[in-house]
Amino acid sequence: MGKIFYLLFLQLYPLVARLLAPFNPKAKKWVQGRNDLLTHIAASLQHDTSPKIWMHCSSLGEFEQGRPLLEDFRKNYAHYKIVLSFFSPSGYEVRKDYEGADYIFYLPFDSKKNAATWFDLIRPACIFFIKYEFWHFYLQEAKNRQVPLFLVSGIFRKSQPFFSWYGKFYRNMLSCFSHLFLQDAASAKLLESIGIRQFSICGDTRFDRVIQLFENHRTITGINSFCADKTTVVCGSTWLEDDEMLNHFVNKNPEMRFIIAPHDVGNERIKTCMTLYKNAFLYSEFSTNYFIPDGMNALIIDNIGILKNLYAYATISFVGGGFGGDGVHNVLEPAVYGKPVIFGPVYEKFMEAKGLLEAGGAFSITDTVELEDVFRELLENKEIYDDVCQKAANYVRSNAGATQQILHYIRENRLLTN
């Protein structure tokens, strides 16, 4: 039954993407990115006989999760070429020029033929899949060719098909992994319940990545002048549901400063933000001369790439996604700076958000009234504010070290040679 569902998905997903492509920019890029893809890959690699490390990420967030490993590979295993693949345009389009990898491709859609051709072309010596990616034919090909295959920062929930009555097909996917590096003990317990034991618990590499970002923080020209020693709220990766909740608070507090970084920076999304936030102007306009129009208290970030550095300017941060079905985005990026983090009620699938709440470094809200209550509590009591800041920073640093544990395993088992 599970295999039938999976094969049906493989048939339907490209069809739906093609149907949506004329109307949806992301679907269009997904389809266009896979046109003649294997021909392009073959041409790129035809003269390269170097051993290769392959890392696959679904999207941008998973790339950031795997990035500390990639950078160590680049530094310590320089004679290997690094192949980085993405499933989603939101990862590939942003990181297609990333200098830390030798080759960056979309992953050809899962099929027996595509997987076999990919392995013939790439010839990976070692494979790392990040967090959630499970593609049957690629995993099976790795197992058949006896290529070491690892899941990095894996996390599992009871609701996933691996643990269902029809899950034998999906459980077989897990058996293809040489080793699974897990985030938590709950995931380990679930895997043990289905007979999967080739794992270790080492935490989440995202903690290591955000500490890297903190240590290499880049100043953003003009942001200090915009903040101007006022209470500043950085709202990162917001969706429409977040903006519809935030805009009332932003519009009625002209004495504060707000930096809004939407998750989607397409033209229509930016226009919506400009409509919702009455006293807002665009970063693209601001960055030409750093002039702040009179009465403006909200800066809309209409590009991708600077959000991780913007959190350093926050008095308080808000992370989007928690009012939609997909759930909250990366709460660790603001927390590493020791900033109180606020997000919506949809966070149960995200261990780091739950952990930050339990540590006392974050607040979950359901509406604007609760948002105002949190701000009042933090801004009217310096002792409370300082305590929350310290707890946020401590939470991140106390969970660092997953990357080094994975690297130790690789060295100890001689999976890569210097």
Side-chain angles (χ1 to χ4, degrees):
M1 182 68 74
K3 187 172 184 178
I4 293 172
F5 289 156
Y6 186 78
L7 294 177
L8 183 62
F9 164 79
L10 294 184
Q11 292 294 317
L12 291 177
Y13 193 101
L15 176 62
V16 172
R18 291 188 187 94
L19 291 173
L20 291 176
F23 318 101
N24 184 297
K26 187 174 180 180
K28 183 177 181 179
K29 288 178 180 177
W30 191 94
V31 172
Q32 290 179 338
R34 286 168 171 80
N35 288 338
D36 298 319
L37 177 56
L38 287 169
T39 302
H40 164 63
I41 294 170
S44 300
L45 294 168
Q46 61 179 332
H47 300 302
D48 192 342
T49 59
S50 304
K52 297 177 182 67
I53 299 169
W54 170 29
M55 179 174 285
H56 175 65
C57 312
S58 174
S59 191
L60 188 59
E62 289 76 21
F63 164 76
E64 290 294 327
Q65 208 159 13
R67 187 168 175 173
L69 282 174
L70 277 188
E71 293 180 352
D72 189 272
F73 296 153
R74 176 66 98 193
K75 181 170 63 176
N76 292 306
Y77 301 100
H79 65 290
Y80 287 87
K81 296 291 183 66
I82 293 175
V83 178
L84 175 64
S85 64
F86 288 98
F87 179 78
S88 169
S90 58
Y92 176 82
E93 296 298 333
V94 175
R95 290 301 179 190
K96 60 187 176 183
D97 297 318
Y98 171 60
E99 294 181 353
D102 298 283
Y103 302 101
I104 303 173
F105 304 121
Y106 277 109
L107 183 69
F109 201 59
D110 196 25
S111 73
K112 189 171 184 177
K113 180 180 179 181
N114 283 350
T117 304
W118 172 273
F119 272 79
D120 288 342
L121 294 172
I122 303 296
R123 289 176 283 114
C126 216
I127 307 168
F128 298 86
F129 274 33
I130 309 300
K131 193 177 180 179
Y132 281 141
E133 287 291 88
F134 304 100
W135 296 109
H136 166 72
F137 292 106
Y138 284 98
L139 300 183
Q140 194 63 52
E141 198 70 25
K143 182 178 181 179
N144 292 342
R145 299 191 186 211
Q146 298 182 325
V147 182
L149 168 65
F150 302 94
L151 185 70
V152 174
S153 295
I155 189 164
F156 293 89
R157 300 183 304 278
K158 183 67 175 176
S159 59
Q160 290 173 307
F162 310 107
F163 313 104
S164 66
W165 61 269
Y166 59 86
K168 182 179 178 181
F169 172 77
Y170 298 96
R171 290 191 285 273
N172 287 339
M173 290 193 203
L174 296 180
S175 70
C176 294
F177 286 94
S178 308
H179 197 84
L180 300 98
F181 298 104
L182 305 179
Q183 291 190 32
D184 63 357
S187 295
K189 187 175 181 180
L190 282 170
L191 292 184
E192 282 186 329
S193 73
I194 57 172
I196 301 295
R197 292 183 173 82
Q198 74 279 19
F199 62 76
S200 56
I201 303 168
C202 62
D204 189 346
T205 54
R206 278 182 300 174
F207 289 93
D208 303 318
R209 175 59 185 152
V210 296
I211 290 171
Q212 283 183 342
L213 293 173
F214 174 82
E215 292 172 346
N216 296 287
H217 167 70
R218 180 169 61 89
T219 300
I220 306 298
T221 304
I223 297 298
N224 273 327
S225 63
F226 172 71
C227 299
D229 297 321
K230 296 180 181 291
T231 297
T232 299
V233 185
V234 176
C235 305
S237 300
T238 64
W239 293 71
L240 178 60
E241 297 90 342
D242 301 298
D243 295 314
E244 288 176 337
M245 190 281 303
L246 285 166
N247 77 91
H248 174 72
F249 182 75
V250 174
N251 294 336
K252 80 174 214 177
N253 286 284
E255 77 287 356
M256 295 170 62
R257 291 288 186 261
F258 297 88
I259 299 175
I260 316 292
H263 177 69
D264 174 9
V265 295
N267 290 336
E268 290 304 313
R269 183 74 178 87
I270 295 299
K271 286 179 184 177
T272 300
C273 287
M274 294 297 289
T275 301
L276 287 171
Y277 299 106
K278 302 301 182 185
N279 301 310
F281 62 117
L282 297 175
Y283 178 78
S284 58
E285 298 172 354
F286 175 62
S287 61
T288 59
N289 54 20
Y290 303 108
F291 173 73
I292 303 171
D294 290 341
M296 297 292 103
N297 77 328
L299 183 62
I300 308 297
I301 306 300
D302 52 349
N303 68 21
I304 291 175
I306 66 171
L307 173 61
K308 57 184 177 288
N309 292 297
L310 289 172
Y311 284 122
Y313 298 93
T315 309
I316 296 171
S317 62
F318 177 92
V319 176
F323 284 90
D326 290 337
V328 66
H329 287 275
N330 192 341
V331 301
L332 301 179
E333 287 184 348
V336 74
Y337 288 102
K339 309 294 182 176
V341 185
I342 302 172
F343 47 82
V346 184
Y347 63 85
E348 282 299 319
K349 294 180 181 179
F350 300 89
M351 188 184 73
E352 69 283 0
K354 294 167 67 175
L356 191 58
L357 281 171
E358 292 167 3
F363 301 83
S364 176
I365 61 167
T366 59
D367 54 35
T368 304
V369 173
E370 290 187 4
L371 179 71
E372 292 177 352
D373 289 343
V374 170
F375 268 89
R376 191 178 303 112
E377 179 181 10
L378 290 171
L379 297 178
E380 292 181 1
N381 191 317
K382 187 177 186 302
E383 186 176 341
I384 292 176
Y385 176 81
D386 290 344
D387 183 58
V388 174
C389 290
Q390 189 63 56
K391 287 175 176 175
N394 287 347
Y395 173 71
V396 176
R397 282 161 180 78
S398 66
N399 284 280
T403 303
Q404 288 306 312
Q405 290 188 55
I406 296 169
L407 292 170
H408 176 74
Y409 181 96
I410 292 167
R411 288 192 294 267
E412 189 176 58
N413 290 278
R414 302 178 183 274
L415 297 168
L416 298 172
T417 58
N418 294 100

